[in-house]
Amino acid sequence: MNIFGVDIGGSGIKGAPVDLDRGDLADERYKVLTPQPSTAGAVAEKVREVADHFAGSTGPVGVTFPGVVTHGTIRTAANVDKSWIGVNAEEMLGERLGRPVTVVNDADAAGIAEMAFGAGRGRDGTVMLLTFGTGIGSALFLDGRLVPNTELGHLKLHGHDAEHYASAKAREDKGLSWKEWAPRVQHYLAHLEMLFSPELFIIGGGVSRKADRFLDEIEDIEAEIVPAALQNNAGIVGAAMAAATAAGMETSAAVSAALAAESRTPNG
Ligand code: BGC
């Protein structure tokens, strides 16, 4: 039927079953606050709470993580507890949930969802998705193929990580209006454009809902700039897509395979 997706963020953990044919949530998402400190054990408990909220959901689970993830292992943790580093999150969460788990970087997940179902659909060439939230995440595509774990939120601007200057959290922490924040985003995009010359920038994260407040203020960028169509749900959708791929499912086959998994469960 549906594949379950969970998005682990610096402030919230949210999840929902995803309809992979439509590329959209199949149910209203459920959100809990990220525990502080956001240790691996504490976050895993919350991921289980989110998954358990949807009693009828079984089968593979896709999870996003706000750091570098290679083969399921967490390599960096800029905005969550450092105890995550070195943890094989696929194994750890898989044991906790009793279901197969696939873990991918949060921006990469949002990117694959936008390329398949959203603002990047059918777009060739170099496309860059950026998520503006607690940090800045990046997903880089060439002709629809992802270059994983690009970490462009840590490029240096004015001698500091770009995410400390231009993330949504930086806007809130510094009390900037959308208009005051826009030049920071512009400065960051100009730097990325100088380095990568993408054809399209997709602006994701929570700020994509407020795109009308700041996108018009951004000038002097050659590339097209559009808000993420799936907005802040892109991570959940992309996580589910990654889990379906890991389980060897095509999008529509994913649905039937998950249905088969559900029919095998004793009370499913
Ligand atoms: C992390 C990235 C992540 C981004 C958005 C950055 O601090 O290093 O891996 O994608 O925040 O959460």
Side-chain angles (χ1 to χ4, degrees), residues 8-10 65-69 76-80 105-108 131-139 149-154 161 163-164:
I8 299 178
F65 185 81
V68 172
V69 186
T76 69
N79 295 306
V80 282
N105 171 264
D106 55 359
D108 286 348
T131 61
F132 292 81
T134 309
I136 295 179
S138 59
N149 292 309
T150 45
E151 292 295 310
L152 299 175
H154 298 290
D161 269 22
E163 71 176 24
H164 294 154

Side-chain angles (χ1 to χ4, degrees), residues 106-130:
D106 55 359
D108 286 348
I112 59 176
E114 284 294 325
M115 294 306 284
F117 297 109
R121 196 173 185 154
R123 295 293 297 249
D124 280 337
T126 306
V127 175
M128 190 176 282
L129 171 130
L130 301 163

Side-chain angles (χ1 to χ4, degrees), residues 67-235:
V68 172
V69 186
T70 55
H71 307 292
T73 297
I74 306 306
R75 303 292 175 191
T76 69
N79 295 306
V80 282
D81 195 80
K82 303 286 179 261
S83 61
W84 277 100
I85 296 171
V87 170
N88 184 325
E90 292 187 345
E91 260 174 44
M92 194 267 276
L93 292 171
E95 275 165 27
R96 206 60 80 103
L97 301 183
R99 296 161 73 171
V101 172
T102 302
V103 181
V104 286
N105 171 264
D106 55 359
D108 286 348
I112 59 176
E114 284 294 325
M115 294 306 284
F117 297 109
R121 196 173 185 154
R123 295 293 297 249
D124 280 337
T126 306
V127 175
M128 190 176 282
L129 171 130
L130 301 163
T131 61
F132 292 81
T134 309
I136 295 179
S138 59
L140 178 64
F141 292 86
L142 176 63
D143 296 338
R145 281 201 66 180
L146 173 71
V147 180
N149 292 309
T150 45
E151 292 295 310
L152 299 175
H154 298 290
L155 277 180
K156 299 287 181 263
L157 279 187
H158 306 299
H160 299 285
D161 269 22
E163 71 176 24
H164 294 154
Y165 172 76
S167 66
K169 182 170 184 292
R171 186 186 83 81
E172 283 157 24
D173 289 352
K174 294 183 174 73
L176 302 176
S177 68
W178 294 99
K179 248 191 151 123
E180 286 166 334
W181 179 62
R184 292 181 176 230
V185 177
Q186 172 170 332
H187 184 41
Y188 178 53
L189 295 182
H191 193 60
L192 289 169
E193 180 154 76
M194 185 265 292
L195 293 171
F196 294 96
S197 303
E199 271 116 88
L200 174 67
F201 282 116
I202 302 174
I203 307 297
V207 302
S208 49
R209 280 195 305 268
K210 309 275 183 179
D212 54 326
R213 308 261 188 107
F214 66 94
L215 276 194
D216 287 349
E217 306 289 325
I218 294 176
E219 299 163 343
D220 299 328
I221 303 290
E222 285 288 316
E224 192 182 342
I225 311 173
V226 296
L230 307 177
Q231 299 187 343
N232 219 8
N233 290 333

